[in-house]
Amino acid sequence: MSISPTTGPLPASRTEADGSAVIRVLSYNIRSLRDDTTALARVITACAPDLVLLQEAPRFFRWRKKLARLAAASGQVLLTGGATASGPALLCSLRARVEHTEDVLLPLTPGLHRRGFATAVVRFGGARVGVLSCHLSLQKDERRHQGGMLLDRLAALDTPHAVAGGDLNERPDGRTFKRLAAKLQDGWAVAPWGGEHTSTPTDPHQRIDALFATPGVEILGCGVPIGHPGVSEADLRAATDHLPVLAALRIPAV
């Protein structure tokens, strides 16, 4: 049975009277800022995220300055990651209270690109949440091992709730994607909203980017922000070679 995506606006960020928080989380492969960074900043700004999980962030000359400029241009601040995580990075809004950050380099397979995780623990109101951004391997066996390390690292954050996302380099029928979806909630599968396919912007035909949340997090909507106010198709095509994934999540208070 096919699931029709929810239409209408995605819930806005807010803190509830009981201390729980509705947050927006955006995952985006930005291809080392090699495309139209002005269009990219417009897309991020229009999505109004509280957390931004980046992949393929700049890793070389003046990479911190480039990430900081993107953050400033899109109403965010640089949280962690970049070269120190071999590509994944995290941005956040000023709404977040940061407890802890850690960049993790994964074991290097000779001849393949070094991979890593950007991780953090943050609070929104009375809600405490772990965050992880990843970009998994193109090689299926290495990718499978990295999926296991992702689950282990998420558990090691030792938070009551967590969100992970990124470029999985695999479709939902793949072994690693299925492994993650068996332990975590796949945002699009639980509460589809907007568009499904993330690759490529000019010919969206596959979902290889995803946002996941631990049990207990309520997923209010998740998908590619096609038709979202302020997000134009021209900007989505110009910004990078992936489409972003945007989710609204309700995080219980602790």
Side-chain angles (χ1 to χ4, degrees):
M1 181 178 65
S2 62
I3 300 175
S4 298
T6 301
T7 58
L10 199 67
S13 302
R14 62 183 183 272
T15 302
E16 307 285 15
D18 63 358
S20 64
V22 174
I23 66 171
R24 286 187 179 183
V25 182
L26 183 73
S27 182
Y28 214 165
N29 183 319
I30 60 173
R31 207 165 80 109
S32 299
L33 298 178
R34 293 201 297 267
D35 301 290
D36 188 335
T37 56
T38 301
L40 176 65
R42 281 197 297 263
V43 172
I44 297 174
T45 300
C47 290
D50 299 289
L51 294 167
V52 183
L53 285 57
L54 298 177
Q55 301 85 48
E56 290 195 39
R59 295 184 294 119
F60 301 111
F61 183 66
R62 293 182 177 174
W63 64 270
R64 284 190 178 89
K65 181 175 289 186
K66 292 174 183 177
L67 266 179
R69 284 176 176 169
L70 174 64
S74 53
Q76 305 286 310
V77 294
L78 176 59
L79 184 53
T80 195
T84 49
S86 199
L90 297 173
L91 311 180
C92 67
S93 70
L94 293 176
R95 185 178 175 225
R97 289 181 290 151
V98 181
E99 286 191 8
H100 173 72
T101 65
E102 183 177 6
D103 297 329
V104 180
L105 290 176
L106 303 182
L108 176 63
T109 301
L112 297 180
H113 172 63
R114 187 70 176 262
R115 304 284 175 169
F117 301 144
T119 74
V121 176
V122 297
R123 284 185 178 268
F124 298 93
R128 184 169 181 262
V129 60
V131 191
L132 184 152
S133 177
C134 69
H135 187 184
L136 302 187
S137 177
L138 288 164
Q139 205 279 332
K140 64 179 181 179
D141 291 331
E142 184 181 49
R143 183 167 62 243
R144 179 170 55 85
H145 290 302
Q146 290 170 352
M149 287 184 278
L150 185 158
L151 293 171
D152 291 342
R153 180 57 57 173
L154 213 58
L157 292 176
D158 195 26
T159 56
H161 309 288
V163 58
D167 180 352
L168 304 186
N169 273 317
E170 187 173 274
R171 299 178 183 182
D173 60 356
R175 290 180 63 187
T176 303
F177 203 120
K178 286 182 176 179
R179 183 178 185 182
L180 296 178
K183 296 290 186 180
L184 305 169
Q185 300 183 83
D186 174 6
W188 169 263
V190 172
W193 167 89
E196 177 181 6
H197 297 141
T198 62
S199 177
T200 60
T202 56
D203 178 28
H205 64 280
Q206 59 181 347
R207 183 163 74 100
I208 60 173
D209 306 81
L211 279 168
F212 297 92
T214 52
V217 173
E218 183 182 359
I219 300 174
L220 305 175
C222 179
V224 177
I226 296 172
H228 185 71
V231 177
S232 72
E233 291 189 17
D235 279 349
L236 289 172
R237 288 193 298 268
T240 178
D241 64 345
H242 283 242
L243 293 171
V245 181
L246 177 64
L249 311 173
R250 180 177 283 111
I251 314 292
V254 293

